Amino acid sequence: AQSVTQPDIHITVSEGASLELRCNYSYGATPYLFWYVQSPGQGLQLLLKYFSGDTLVQGIKGFEAEFKRSQSSFNLRKPSVHWSDAAEYFCAVGARETGGFKTIFGAGTRLFVKA
Amino acid sequence: EAQVTQNPRYLITVTGKKLTVTCSQNMNHEYMSWYRQDPGLGLRQIYYSMNVEVTDKGDVPEGYKVSRKEKRNFPLILESPSPNQTSLYFCASSLIAGDNEQYFGPGTRLTVT
């Protein structure tokens, strides 16, 4: 069965420091991979996505992610965090099934930013 | 404005009283989906729809029903709500299933007592 693991429940970084959020997935075929961000009391917004091509993808708000097939990972990075990046981040996998398409989310990583 | 709308935004109900949460999108999207969000569990997919009259179960479909009679609407029905269905519910849509961004509604916070 497909699954997504975000090992860190929460992470605290100082403003201006670099950030890496981890995501590991389990899926037999090539997955569709996504990172979404959820600000407090809001819905989710797509940061970036990957299905094929260059394994380093650029997203909005200065985020990037790298797909590593050998490690089944899709980690999210940002070189310099801003206070406005404090939010919850979700990694997701899209998986084709017979006649359908499921989306599986990780449990999320809450990012705290120190001034 | 392109958007996904859900109603109601907040609902408190009692065990066993049937309820419907509506979801509508104005982007002519084919793929629609319902999720529930619970602390420590992230979002879990309840049901999804590939297109009109085509629905399928997600990972947590028990206790829920859906229908897709029109492309823009995808209501979530709880025939006999129970307290374990207390949660934050999100509807989402995308142009087609696959490598496409899902657009999320604002959420419906449901409490079942």
Side-chain angles (χ1 to χ4, degrees), chain A residues 32 34 36 38 42-44 46 49-51 88 90 96-97 99-107, chain B residues 31 35 37 40-43 45 48 50 57-59 88 90 97-102 104-106:
Chain A
Y32 298 83
F34 307 86
Y36 285 86
Q38 184 180 34
Q42 304 294 312
L44 279 74
L46 180 72
K49 60 182 180 179
Y50 173 81
F51 176 57
E88 190 153 24
F90 293 95
R96 289 209 176 273
E97 302 189 323
F101 186 88
K102 273 189 178 179
T103 308
I104 301 99
F105 281 82
Chain B
Y31 186 82
Y35 299 90
Q37 183 177 18
L41 297 178
L43 282 81
Q45 194 171 39
Y48 64 89
M50 298 289 283
K57 297 177 181 178
D59 285 334
L88 179 59
F90 287 101
D99 185 21
N100 282 277
E101 175 178 2
Q102 288 190 56
F104 284 80

mmCIF file of all heavy atoms in Angstrom, chain A residues 32 34 36 38 42-44 46 49-51 88 90 96-97 99-107, chain B residues 31 35 37 40-43 45 48 50 57-59 88 90 97-102 104-106:
data_model
loop_
_atom_site.group_PDB
_atom_site.id
_atom_site.type_symbol
_atom_site.label_atom_id
_atom_site.label_comp_id
_atom_site.label_asym_id
_atom_site.label_seq_id
_atom_site.Cartn_x
_atom_site.Cartn_y
_atom_site.Cartn_z
ATOM 1 N N TYR A 32 3.392 10.635 -8.353
ATOM 2 C CA TYR A 32 3.230 12.074 -8.458
ATOM 3 C C TYR A 32 3.505 12.621 -7.056
ATOM 4 O O TYR A 32 2.909 12.159 -6.086
ATOM 5 C CB TYR A 32 1.803 12.430 -8.873
ATOM 6 C CG TYR A 32 1.393 11.917 -10.224
ATOM 7 C CD1 TYR A 32 0.924 10.609 -10.371
ATOM 8 C CD2 TYR A 32 1.453 12.720 -11.355
ATOM 9 C CE1 TYR A 32 0.526 10.132 -11.608
ATOM 10 C CE2 TYR A 32 1.053 12.253 -12.596
ATOM 11 C CZ TYR A 32 0.598 10.957 -12.711
ATOM 12 O OH TYR A 32 0.206 10.478 -13.942
ATOM 13 N N PHE A 34 3.991 15.923 -4.309
ATOM 14 C CA PHE A 34 3.558 17.292 -4.052
ATOM 15 C C PHE A 34 4.015 17.726 -2.660
ATOM 16 O O PHE A 34 4.119 16.914 -1.740
ATOM 17 C CB PHE A 34 2.020 17.402 -4.095
ATOM 18 C CG PHE A 34 1.381 16.854 -5.333
ATOM 19 C CD1 PHE A 34 1.060 15.507 -5.436
ATOM 20 C CD2 PHE A 34 1.077 17.694 -6.388
ATOM 21 C CE1 PHE A 34 0.449 15.000 -6.569
ATOM 22 C CE2 PHE A 34 0.459 17.197 -7.533
ATOM 23 C CZ PHE A 34 0.147 15.857 -7.622
ATOM 24 N N TYR A 36 2.508 20.742 -0.044
ATOM 25 C CA TYR A 36 1.508 21.767 0.217
ATOM 26 C C TYR A 36 1.848 22.455 1.530
ATOM 27 O O TYR A 36 2.432 21.851 2.435
ATOM 28 C CB TYR A 36 0.110 21.162 0.340
ATOM 29 C CG TYR A 36 -0.521 20.730 -0.969
ATOM 30 C CD1 TYR A 36 -0.277 19.465 -1.502
ATOM 31 C CD2 TYR A 36 -1.374 21.584 -1.661
ATOM 32 C CE1 TYR A 36 -0.874 19.071 -2.689
ATOM 33 C CE2 TYR A 36 -1.976 21.198 -2.852
ATOM 34 C CZ TYR A 36 -1.726 19.934 -3.355
ATOM 35 O OH TYR A 36 -2.315 19.541 -4.536
ATOM 36 N N GLN A 38 0.035 24.808 4.721
ATOM 37 C CA GLN A 38 -1.217 25.229 5.348
ATOM 38 C C GLN A 38 -0.903 26.246 6.439
ATOM 39 O O GLN A 38 -0.308 25.914 7.462
ATOM 40 C CB GLN A 38 -1.952 24.028 5.953
ATOM 41 C CG GLN A 38 -3.303 24.381 6.544
ATOM 42 C CD GLN A 38 -4.012 23.183 7.142
ATOM 43 O OE1 GLN A 38 -3.382 22.282 7.689
ATOM 44 N NE2 GLN A 38 -5.334 23.135 7.021
ATOM 45 N N GLN A 42 -6.279 28.083 7.590
ATOM 46 C CA GLN A 42 -6.454 28.186 6.135
ATOM 47 C C GLN A 42 -6.536 26.808 5.494
ATOM 48 O O GLN A 42 -6.250 25.790 6.122
ATOM 49 C CB GLN A 42 -5.283 28.954 5.524
ATOM 50 C CG GLN A 42 -5.055 30.339 6.100
ATOM 51 C CD GLN A 42 -6.197 31.268 5.784
ATOM 52 O OE1 GLN A 42 -6.661 31.360 4.649
ATOM 53 N NE2 GLN A 42 -6.686 31.968 6.798
ATOM 54 N N GLY A 43 -6.897 26.821 4.220
ATOM 55 C CA GLY A 43 -6.818 25.601 3.428
ATOM 56 C C GLY A 43 -5.381 25.367 2.994
ATOM 57 O O GLY A 43 -4.455 26.008 3.482
ATOM 58 N N LEU A 44 -5.185 24.434 2.092
ATOM 59 C CA LEU A 44 -3.841 24.100 1.648
ATOM 60 C C LEU A 44 -3.509 24.777 0.327
ATOM 61 O O LEU A 44 -4.375 24.951 -0.534
ATOM 62 C CB LEU A 44 -3.703 22.586 1.466
ATOM 63 C CG LEU A 44 -3.439 21.777 2.726
ATOM 64 C CD1 LEU A 44 -4.692 21.657 3.581
ATOM 65 C CD2 LEU A 44 -2.924 20.389 2.362
ATOM 66 N N LEU A 46 -0.567 24.717 -2.876
ATOM 67 C CA LEU A 46 0.520 23.957 -3.483
ATOM 68 C C LEU A 46 1.803 24.780 -3.528
ATOM 69 O O LEU A 46 1.800 25.930 -3.972
ATOM 70 C CB LEU A 46 0.143 23.540 -4.898
ATOM 71 C CG LEU A 46 1.198 22.725 -5.652
ATOM 72 C CD1 LEU A 46 1.279 21.317 -5.059
ATOM 73 C CD2 LEU A 46 0.872 22.653 -7.146
ATOM 74 N N LYS A 49 5.480 20.571 -7.257
ATOM 75 C CA LYS A 49 5.084 19.216 -7.618
ATOM 76 C C LYS A 49 6.147 18.602 -8.523
ATOM 77 O O LYS A 49 6.935 19.303 -9.163
ATOM 78 C CB LYS A 49 3.733 19.218 -8.340
ATOM 79 C CG LYS A 49 3.758 20.034 -9.630
ATOM 80 C CD LYS A 49 2.397 20.061 -10.293
ATOM 81 C CE LYS A 49 2.475 20.889 -11.582
ATOM 82 N NZ LYS A 49 1.183 20.941 -12.299
ATOM 83 N N TYR A 50 6.127 17.254 -8.586
ATOM 84 C CA TYR A 50 7.059 16.529 -9.458
ATOM 85 C C TYR A 50 6.393 15.271 -9.968
ATOM 86 O O TYR A 50 5.718 14.547 -9.213
ATOM 87 C CB TYR A 50 8.325 16.152 -8.683
ATOM 88 C CG TYR A 50 9.233 15.265 -9.495
ATOM 89 C CD1 TYR A 50 10.080 15.797 -10.454
ATOM 90 C CD2 TYR A 50 9.202 13.875 -9.343
ATOM 91 C CE1 TYR A 50 10.867 14.982 -11.235
ATOM 92 C CE2 TYR A 50 9.992 13.049 -10.112
ATOM 93 C CZ TYR A 50 10.821 13.610 -11.062
ATOM 94 O OH TYR A 50 11.597 12.806 -11.849
ATOM 95 N N PHE A 51 6.616 15.008 -11.265
ATOM 96 C CA PHE A 51 6.247 13.711 -11.821
ATOM 97 C C PHE A 51 7.353 13.139 -12.681
ATOM 98 O O PHE A 51 7.666 11.958 -12.644
ATOM 99 C CB PHE A 51 4.947 13.786 -12.619
ATOM 100 C CG PHE A 51 4.604 12.475 -13.272
ATOM 101 C CD1 PHE A 51 4.453 11.318 -12.528
ATOM 102 C CD2 PHE A 51 4.462 12.377 -14.646
ATOM 103 C CE1 PHE A 51 4.147 10.093 -13.119
ATOM 104 C CE2 PHE A 51 4.156 11.166 -15.259
ATOM 105 C CZ PHE A 51 3.995 10.026 -14.488
ATOM 106 N N GLU A 88 2.228 24.790 8.588
ATOM 107 C CA GLU A 88 2.353 23.336 8.555
ATOM 108 C C GLU A 88 2.538 22.903 7.106
ATOM 109 O O GLU A 88 1.865 23.404 6.200
ATOM 110 C CB GLU A 88 1.132 22.650 9.163
ATOM 111 C CG GLU A 88 1.331 21.152 9.359
ATOM 112 C CD GLU A 88 0.501 20.577 10.489
ATOM 113 O OE1 GLU A 88 -0.541 21.169 10.827
ATOM 114 O OE2 GLU A 88 0.902 19.517 11.025
ATOM 115 N N PHE A 90 2.842 19.781 4.255
ATOM 116 C CA PHE A 90 2.414 18.415 3.972
ATOM 117 C C PHE A 90 3.019 17.921 2.669
ATOM 118 O O PHE A 90 2.925 18.596 1.632
ATOM 119 C CB PHE A 90 0.887 18.341 3.855
ATOM 120 C CG PHE A 90 0.158 18.613 5.134
ATOM 121 C CD1 PHE A 90 -0.313 19.879 5.427
ATOM 122 C CD2 PHE A 90 -0.056 17.596 6.053
ATOM 123 C CE1 PHE A 90 -0.995 20.140 6.611
ATOM 124 C CE2 PHE A 90 -0.735 17.837 7.240
ATOM 125 C CZ PHE A 90 -1.200 19.119 7.516
ATOM 126 N N ARG A 96 -1.881 6.290 -9.106
ATOM 127 C CA ARG A 96 -2.911 5.770 -10.023
ATOM 128 C C ARG A 96 -3.292 4.363 -9.590
ATOM 129 O O ARG A 96 -2.445 3.543 -9.266
ATOM 130 C CB ARG A 96 -2.389 5.748 -11.453
ATOM 131 C CG ARG A 96 -2.243 7.133 -12.040
ATOM 132 C CD ARG A 96 -2.429 7.147 -13.547
ATOM 133 N NE ARG A 96 -2.379 8.515 -14.060
ATOM 134 C CZ ARG A 96 -3.437 9.316 -14.121
ATOM 135 N NH1 ARG A 96 -4.602 8.889 -13.703
ATOM 136 N NH2 ARG A 96 -3.325 10.534 -14.607
ATOM 137 N N GLU A 97 -4.599 4.140 -9.608
ATOM 138 C CA GLU A 97 -5.121 2.808 -9.356
ATOM 139 C C GLU A 97 -6.024 2.437 -10.519
ATOM 140 O O GLU A 97 -6.301 3.273 -11.355
ATOM 141 C CB GLU A 97 -5.918 2.790 -8.052
ATOM 142 C CG GLU A 97 -5.138 3.213 -6.838
ATOM 143 C CD GLU A 97 -5.898 2.963 -5.570
ATOM 144 O OE1 GLU A 97 -7.134 3.148 -5.583
ATOM 145 O OE2 GLU A 97 -5.275 2.575 -4.573
ATOM 146 N N GLY A 99 -8.614 2.515 -12.753
ATOM 147 C CA GLY A 99 -9.750 3.394 -12.953
ATOM 148 C C GLY A 99 -9.806 4.599 -12.046
ATOM 149 O O GLY A 99 -10.769 5.365 -12.092
ATOM 150 N N GLY A 100 -8.825 4.782 -11.210
ATOM 151 C CA GLY A 100 -8.910 5.885 -10.265
ATOM 152 C C GLY A 100 -7.575 6.501 -9.930
ATOM 153 O O GLY A 100 -6.539 6.149 -10.503
ATOM 154 N N PHE A 101 -7.607 7.422 -9.005
ATOM 155 C CA PHE A 101 -6.399 8.147 -8.618
ATOM 156 C C PHE A 101 -6.546 8.580 -7.174
ATOM 157 O O PHE A 101 -7.381 9.415 -6.855
ATOM 158 C CB PHE A 101 -6.219 9.373 -9.519
ATOM 159 C CG PHE A 101 -4.935 10.103 -9.291
ATOM 160 C CD1 PHE A 101 -3.791 9.745 -9.974
ATOM 161 C CD2 PHE A 101 -4.863 11.159 -8.391
ATOM 162 C CE1 PHE A 101 -2.591 10.422 -9.776
ATOM 163 C CE2 PHE A 101 -3.677 11.845 -8.176
ATOM 164 C CZ PHE A 101 -2.537 11.473 -8.875
ATOM 165 N N LYS A 102 -5.694 8.025 -6.297
ATOM 166 C CA LYS A 102 -5.734 8.376 -4.882
ATOM 167 C C LYS A 102 -4.652 9.377 -4.545
ATOM 168 O O LYS A 102 -3.600 9.423 -5.200
ATOM 169 C CB LYS A 102 -5.493 7.123 -4.024
ATOM 170 C CG LYS A 102 -6.708 6.311 -3.701
ATOM 171 C CD LYS A 102 -6.332 5.250 -2.673
ATOM 172 C CE LYS A 102 -7.528 4.427 -2.281
ATOM 173 N NZ LYS A 102 -7.184 3.383 -1.316
ATOM 174 N N THR A 103 -4.920 10.159 -3.494
ATOM 175 C CA THR A 103 -3.900 11.067 -2.969
ATOM 176 C C THR A 103 -3.667 10.726 -1.504
ATOM 177 O O THR A 103 -4.613 10.662 -0.727
ATOM 178 C CB THR A 103 -4.344 12.530 -3.093
ATOM 179 O OG1 THR A 103 -4.757 12.789 -4.436
ATOM 180 C CG2 THR A 103 -3.193 13.455 -2.743
ATOM 181 N N ILE A 104 -2.407 10.518 -1.164
ATOM 182 C CA ILE A 104 -2.052 10.162 0.210
ATOM 183 C C ILE A 104 -1.150 11.251 0.771
ATOM 184 O O ILE A 104 -0.119 11.597 0.167
ATOM 185 C CB ILE A 104 -1.316 8.808 0.266
ATOM 186 C CG1 ILE A 104 -2.198 7.711 -0.336
ATOM 187 C CG2 ILE A 104 -0.978 8.448 1.707
ATOM 188 C CD1 ILE A 104 -1.859 7.368 -1.750
ATOM 189 N N PHE A 105 -1.556 11.790 1.916
ATOM 190 C CA PHE A 105 -0.787 12.847 2.559
ATOM 191 C C PHE A 105 0.007 12.286 3.731
ATOM 192 O O PHE A 105 -0.411 11.328 4.400
ATOM 193 C CB PHE A 105 -1.724 13.934 3.097
ATOM 194 C CG PHE A 105 -2.211 14.891 2.050
ATOM 195 C CD1 PHE A 105 -3.273 14.564 1.230
ATOM 196 C CD2 PHE A 105 -1.607 16.128 1.896
ATOM 197 C CE1 PHE A 105 -3.731 15.450 0.263
ATOM 198 C CE2 PHE A 105 -2.050 17.020 0.939
ATOM 199 C CZ PHE A 105 -3.118 16.682 0.118
ATOM 200 N N GLY A 106 1.147 12.918 3.996
ATOM 201 C CA GLY A 106 1.856 12.654 5.224
ATOM 202 C C GLY A 106 1.163 13.350 6.385
ATOM 203 O O GLY A 106 0.211 14.109 6.199
ATOM 204 N N ALA A 107 1.660 13.095 7.592
ATOM 205 C CA ALA A 107 1.034 13.646 8.796
ATOM 206 C C ALA A 107 1.354 15.116 8.999
ATOM 207 O O ALA A 107 0.731 15.773 9.832
ATOM 208 C CB ALA A 107 1.462 12.835 10.015
ATOM 209 N N TYR B 31 -11.678 16.343 -11.506
ATOM 210 C CA TYR B 31 -11.351 15.568 -10.310
ATOM 211 C C TYR B 31 -11.742 16.347 -9.058
ATOM 212 O O TYR B 31 -11.382 17.511 -8.886
ATOM 213 C CB TYR B 31 -9.846 15.274 -10.294
ATOM 214 C CG TYR B 31 -9.363 14.355 -9.191
ATOM 215 C CD1 TYR B 31 -9.469 12.973 -9.302
ATOM 216 C CD2 TYR B 31 -8.759 14.865 -8.044
ATOM 217 C CE1 TYR B 31 -9.008 12.127 -8.304
ATOM 218 C CE2 TYR B 31 -8.289 14.016 -7.043
ATOM 219 C CZ TYR B 31 -8.414 12.658 -7.183
ATOM 220 O OH TYR B 31 -7.937 11.816 -6.190
ATOM 221 N N TYR B 35 -11.447 15.222 2.021
ATOM 222 C CA TYR B 35 -10.438 14.804 3.003
ATOM 223 C C TYR B 35 -10.943 15.173 4.398
ATOM 224 O O TYR B 35 -11.695 16.122 4.568
ATOM 225 C CB TYR B 35 -9.122 15.534 2.776
ATOM 226 C CG TYR B 35 -8.487 15.292 1.438
ATOM 227 C CD1 TYR B 35 -8.780 16.116 0.360
ATOM 228 C CD2 TYR B 35 -7.586 14.255 1.252
ATOM 229 C CE1 TYR B 35 -8.195 15.906 -0.886
ATOM 230 C CE2 TYR B 35 -6.992 14.033 0.017
ATOM 231 C CZ TYR B 35 -7.298 14.866 -1.048
ATOM 232 O OH TYR B 35 -6.728 14.651 -2.267
ATOM 233 N N GLN B 37 -9.120 16.073 8.186
ATOM 234 C CA GLN B 37 -7.839 16.393 8.798
ATOM 235 C C GLN B 37 -7.963 16.251 10.305
ATOM 236 O O GLN B 37 -8.806 16.901 10.935
ATOM 237 C CB GLN B 37 -7.385 17.811 8.443
ATOM 238 C CG GLN B 37 -6.017 18.150 9.013
ATOM 239 C CD GLN B 37 -5.528 19.529 8.612
ATOM 240 O OE1 GLN B 37 -6.293 20.385 8.196
ATOM 241 N NE2 GLN B 37 -4.229 19.744 8.715
ATOM 242 N N GLY B 40 -2.109 15.116 14.065
ATOM 243 C CA GLY B 40 -1.155 14.012 14.039
ATOM 244 C C GLY B 40 -1.363 13.011 12.913
ATOM 245 O O GLY B 40 -0.538 12.111 12.737
ATOM 246 N N LEU B 41 -2.443 13.160 12.165
ATOM 247 C CA LEU B 41 -2.734 12.208 11.082
ATOM 248 C C LEU B 41 -2.695 12.851 9.711
ATOM 249 O O LEU B 41 -2.810 12.152 8.698
ATOM 250 C CB LEU B 41 -4.116 11.569 11.300
ATOM 251 C CG LEU B 41 -4.271 10.741 12.561
ATOM 252 C CD1 LEU B 41 -5.701 10.218 12.680
ATOM 253 C CD2 LEU B 41 -3.293 9.564 12.575
ATOM 254 N N GLY B 42 -2.550 14.150 9.636
ATOM 255 C CA GLY B 42 -2.549 14.807 8.340
ATOM 256 C C GLY B 42 -3.924 14.756 7.699
ATOM 257 O O GLY B 42 -4.942 14.683 8.376
ATOM 258 N N LEU B 43 -3.941 14.780 6.380
ATOM 259 C CA LEU B 43 -5.199 14.676 5.643
ATOM 260 C C LEU B 43 -5.359 13.251 5.142
ATOM 261 O O LEU B 43 -4.422 12.661 4.605
ATOM 262 C CB LEU B 43 -5.207 15.620 4.442
ATOM 263 C CG LEU B 43 -5.481 17.088 4.733
ATOM 264 C CD1 LEU B 43 -4.230 17.782 5.223
ATOM 265 C CD2 LEU B 43 -6.019 17.778 3.481
ATOM 266 N N GLN B 45 -7.837 10.858 2.705
ATOM 267 C CA GLN B 45 -8.835 10.955 1.646
ATOM 268 C C GLN B 45 -10.035 10.070 1.962
ATOM 269 O O GLN B 45 -9.894 8.874 2.252
ATOM 270 C CB GLN B 45 -8.213 10.559 0.315
ATOM 271 C CG GLN B 45 -9.029 10.930 -0.904
ATOM 272 C CD GLN B 45 -8.255 10.694 -2.179
ATOM 273 O OE1 GLN B 45 -7.529 9.720 -2.315
ATOM 274 N NE2 GLN B 45 -8.404 11.593 -3.137
ATOM 275 N N TYR B 48 -13.196 10.165 -3.645
ATOM 276 C CA TYR B 48 -12.831 11.040 -4.742
ATOM 277 C C TYR B 48 -13.721 10.729 -5.948
ATOM 278 O O TYR B 48 -14.390 9.694 -5.998
ATOM 279 C CB TYR B 48 -11.345 10.894 -5.104
ATOM 280 C CG TYR B 48 -10.927 9.550 -5.630
ATOM 281 C CD1 TYR B 48 -10.982 9.262 -6.990
ATOM 282 C CD2 TYR B 48 -10.461 8.563 -4.767
ATOM 283 C CE1 TYR B 48 -10.589 8.028 -7.474
ATOM 284 C CE2 TYR B 48 -10.071 7.323 -5.241
ATOM 285 C CZ TYR B 48 -10.127 7.056 -6.587
ATOM 286 O OH TYR B 48 -9.740 5.834 -7.073
ATOM 287 N N MET B 50 -13.518 10.957 -10.252
ATOM 288 C CA MET B 50 -12.723 11.229 -11.461
ATOM 289 C C MET B 50 -13.508 12.104 -12.446
ATOM 290 O O MET B 50 -12.909 12.817 -13.251
ATOM 291 C CB MET B 50 -12.324 9.921 -12.136
ATOM 292 C CG MET B 50 -11.454 9.015 -11.283
ATOM 293 S SD MET B 50 -9.767 9.638 -11.059
ATOM 294 C CE MET B 50 -9.053 9.228 -12.662
ATOM 295 N N LYS B 57 -13.772 5.064 -3.460
ATOM 296 C CA LYS B 57 -13.369 5.197 -2.074
ATOM 297 C C LYS B 57 -11.912 5.626 -1.947
ATOM 298 O O LYS B 57 -11.053 5.175 -2.702
ATOM 299 C CB LYS B 57 -13.560 3.863 -1.348
ATOM 300 C CG LYS B 57 -14.989 3.392 -1.274
ATOM 301 C CD LYS B 57 -15.080 2.023 -0.605
ATOM 302 C CE LYS B 57 -16.518 1.548 -0.555
ATOM 303 N NZ LYS B 57 -16.621 0.194 0.041
ATOM 304 N N GLY B 58 -11.676 6.479 -0.950
ATOM 305 C CA GLY B 58 -10.321 6.782 -0.549
ATOM 306 C C GLY B 58 -9.889 5.834 0.546
ATOM 307 O O GLY B 58 -10.312 4.675 0.585
ATOM 308 N N ASP B 59 -9.119 6.333 1.483
ATOM 309 C CA ASP B 59 -8.589 5.474 2.545
ATOM 310 C C ASP B 59 -9.511 5.340 3.754
ATOM 311 O O ASP B 59 -9.391 4.386 4.509
ATOM 312 C CB ASP B 59 -7.229 6.007 3.012
ATOM 313 C CG ASP B 59 -6.128 5.698 2.002
ATOM 314 O OD1 ASP B 59 -6.278 4.714 1.249
ATOM 315 O OD2 ASP B 59 -5.134 6.442 1.973
ATOM 316 N N LEU B 88 -12.040 18.169 10.863
ATOM 317 C CA LEU B 88 -12.009 19.272 9.911
ATOM 318 C C LEU B 88 -12.011 18.670 8.517
ATOM 319 O O LEU B 88 -11.147 17.849 8.195
ATOM 320 C CB LEU B 88 -10.756 20.117 10.134
ATOM 321 C CG LEU B 88 -10.533 21.319 9.216
ATOM 322 C CD1 LEU B 88 -11.687 22.312 9.317
ATOM 323 C CD2 LEU B 88 -9.223 22.003 9.577
ATOM 324 N N PHE B 90 -12.090 18.958 4.312
ATOM 325 C CA PHE B 90 -11.718 19.767 3.157
ATOM 326 C C PHE B 90 -12.193 19.102 1.870
ATOM 327 O O PHE B 90 -11.996 17.906 1.671
ATOM 328 C CB PHE B 90 -10.199 19.949 3.069
ATOM 329 C CG PHE B 90 -9.635 20.881 4.090
ATOM 330 C CD1 PHE B 90 -9.014 20.385 5.224
ATOM 331 C CD2 PHE B 90 -9.736 22.251 3.924
ATOM 332 C CE1 PHE B 90 -8.480 21.258 6.173
ATOM 333 C CE2 PHE B 90 -9.207 23.129 4.869
ATOM 334 C CZ PHE B 90 -8.584 22.622 5.994
ATOM 335 N N ALA B 97 -7.108 14.254 -12.765
ATOM 336 C CA ALA B 97 -6.292 13.530 -11.793
ATOM 337 C C ALA B 97 -4.878 13.376 -12.337
ATOM 338 O O ALA B 97 -4.692 13.196 -13.536
ATOM 339 C CB ALA B 97 -6.895 12.161 -11.536
ATOM 340 N N GLY B 98 -3.893 13.476 -11.464
ATOM 341 C CA GLY B 98 -2.510 13.286 -11.887
ATOM 342 C C GLY B 98 -1.643 14.449 -11.491
ATOM 343 O O GLY B 98 -1.733 14.944 -10.370
ATOM 344 N N ASP B 99 -0.842 14.893 -12.405
ATOM 345 C CA ASP B 99 0.136 15.937 -12.134
ATOM 346 C C ASP B 99 -0.545 17.310 -12.174
ATOM 347 O O ASP B 99 -0.207 18.179 -12.979
ATOM 348 C CB ASP B 99 1.251 15.870 -13.178
ATOM 349 C CG ASP B 99 2.352 16.857 -12.878
ATOM 350 O OD1 ASP B 99 2.473 17.289 -11.724
ATOM 351 O OD2 ASP B 99 3.085 17.204 -13.818
ATOM 352 N N ASN B 100 -1.494 17.489 -11.307
ATOM 353 C CA ASN B 100 -2.248 18.741 -11.279
ATOM 354 C C ASN B 100 -2.441 19.203 -9.852
ATOM 355 O O ASN B 100 -2.710 18.395 -8.964
ATOM 356 C CB ASN B 100 -3.619 18.554 -11.922
ATOM 357 C CG ASN B 100 -3.545 18.541 -13.432
ATOM 358 O OD1 ASN B 100 -3.527 19.582 -14.066
ATOM 359 N ND2 ASN B 100 -3.479 17.359 -13.996
ATOM 360 N N GLU B 101 -2.349 20.499 -9.675
ATOM 361 C CA GLU B 101 -2.575 21.078 -8.357
ATOM 362 C C GLU B 101 -4.016 20.856 -7.933
ATOM 363 O O GLU B 101 -4.950 21.028 -8.725
ATOM 364 C CB GLU B 101 -2.301 22.572 -8.402
ATOM 365 C CG GLU B 101 -2.633 23.301 -7.103
ATOM 366 C CD GLU B 101 -2.316 24.775 -7.162
ATOM 367 O OE1 GLU B 101 -1.876 25.238 -8.232
ATOM 368 O OE2 GLU B 101 -2.501 25.462 -6.137
ATOM 369 N N GLN B 102 -4.198 20.465 -6.673
ATOM 370 C CA GLN B 102 -5.533 20.417 -6.108
ATOM 371 C C GLN B 102 -5.803 21.755 -5.420
ATOM 372 O O GLN B 102 -4.972 22.246 -4.652
ATOM 373 C CB GLN B 102 -5.672 19.263 -5.106
ATOM 374 C CG GLN B 102 -5.696 17.900 -5.795
ATOM 375 C CD GLN B 102 -6.081 16.781 -4.855
ATOM 376 O OE1 GLN B 102 -7.126 16.804 -4.223
ATOM 377 N NE2 GLN B 102 -5.217 15.782 -4.764
ATOM 378 N N PHE B 104 -8.026 23.718 -2.753
ATOM 379 C CA PHE B 104 -8.766 23.333 -1.552
ATOM 380 C C PHE B 104 -9.785 24.392 -1.163
ATOM 381 O O PHE B 104 -9.548 25.605 -1.296
ATOM 382 C CB PHE B 104 -7.803 23.107 -0.395
ATOM 383 C CG PHE B 104 -7.061 21.807 -0.497
ATOM 384 C CD1 PHE B 104 -5.965 21.681 -1.327
ATOM 385 C CD2 PHE B 104 -7.479 20.702 0.234
ATOM 386 C CE1 PHE B 104 -5.280 20.464 -1.437
ATOM 387 C CE2 PHE B 104 -6.801 19.493 0.144
ATOM 388 C CZ PHE B 104 -5.713 19.378 -0.697
ATOM 389 N N GLY B 105 -10.901 23.912 -0.649
ATOM 390 C CA GLY B 105 -11.873 24.791 -0.040
ATOM 391 C C GLY B 105 -11.392 25.263 1.320
ATOM 392 O O GLY B 105 -10.342 24.830 1.803
ATOM 393 N N PRO B 106 -12.170 26.118 1.977
ATOM 394 C CA PRO B 106 -11.750 26.710 3.249
ATOM 395 C C PRO B 106 -11.891 25.776 4.444
ATOM 396 O O PRO B 106 -11.388 26.073 5.520
ATOM 397 C CB PRO B 106 -12.683 27.912 3.399
ATOM 398 C CG PRO B 106 -13.905 27.517 2.651
ATOM 399 C CD PRO B 106 -13.438 26.697 1.500
#
